[in-house]
Amino acid sequence: MGFLLIALGVLALAGQLGFLEGVGILYILSLAFLGLYVFVGGRSQYGNVGWLIPGLVLLAVGIAVHSEDIPGRIQLPEGSILFLMAAAFFAVYLIHTRITGFDWPSRHWPLFPASILLLAGFINNPSFFGNFTYVIAATLILGGLCLMRPSP
């Protein structure tokens, strides 16, 4: 915890002196959390996932924000932050929980937020599916109604 406080103090001082501006702070915080994940043992204990999640989520947000600031280079589609967040949770699954989880829920829980964020990204970006957006919306509504029907 002492290392975390020192790192936050150094980052706050660097921000006040003007060394960190804009999206750079997200990348540095992401590297700090990922560094802490590796420093405290990575996959050796299940509880270390608490350092991995913010590191990957901050990296995804940094990439999404940074791609909007660079004109002409990488133009991600609007609403791509949801896809990047889904990728972050899928990376949590691949890096940590798939290996260190001790039962099915502790191994596969990152797939649930990844799936929800991926589905929300597809729904939020109607140009992704073109004219099939209405079909997908109707399918989701019908699927929800089927799940809500009383069992015989």
Side-chain angles (χ1 to χ4, degrees):
M1 196 62 166
F3 288 118
L4 181 62
L5 292 176
I6 292 171
L8 288 175
V10 169
L11 287 174
L13 182 62
Q16 290 295 322
L17 295 176
F19 293 121
L20 298 175
E21 294 180 1
V23 183
I25 189 74
L26 292 175
Y27 291 128
I28 290 174
L29 283 174
S30 173
L31 286 174
F33 279 114
L34 293 173
L36 280 170
Y37 172 74
V38 171
F39 180 72
V40 296
R43 293 188 278 199
S44 65
Q45 295 179 9
Y46 184 78
N48 292 339
V49 75
W51 298 111
L52 182 64
I53 293 170
L56 292 175
V57 167
L58 285 172
L59 182 64
V61 171
I63 291 171
V65 172
H66 194 230
S67 70
E68 295 172 0
D69 292 342
I70 301 176
R73 286 196 181 174
I74 300 172
Q75 293 299 321
L76 295 175
E78 192 163 326
S80 61
I81 190 166
L82 294 172
F83 293 115
L84 291 170
M85 296 287 285
F89 278 102
F90 189 68
V92 168
Y93 169 71
L94 289 178
I95 293 170
H96 188 82
T97 62
R98 178 177 57 94
I99 297 164
T100 61
F102 44 87
D103 58 355
W104 195 91
S106 68
R107 282 191 185 110
H108 300 290
W109 71 263
L111 296 178
F112 293 109
S115 301
I116 291 168
L117 287 166
L118 192 64
L119 184 63
F122 285 137
I123 292 171
N124 193 30
N125 193 358
S127 63
F128 187 84
F129 286 116
N131 295 331
F132 294 107
T133 304
Y134 299 111
V135 173
I136 292 169
T139 304
L140 289 172
I141 291 170
L142 290 174
L145 290 173
C146 285
L147 288 174
M148 291 175 54
R149 68 182 162 86
S151 60

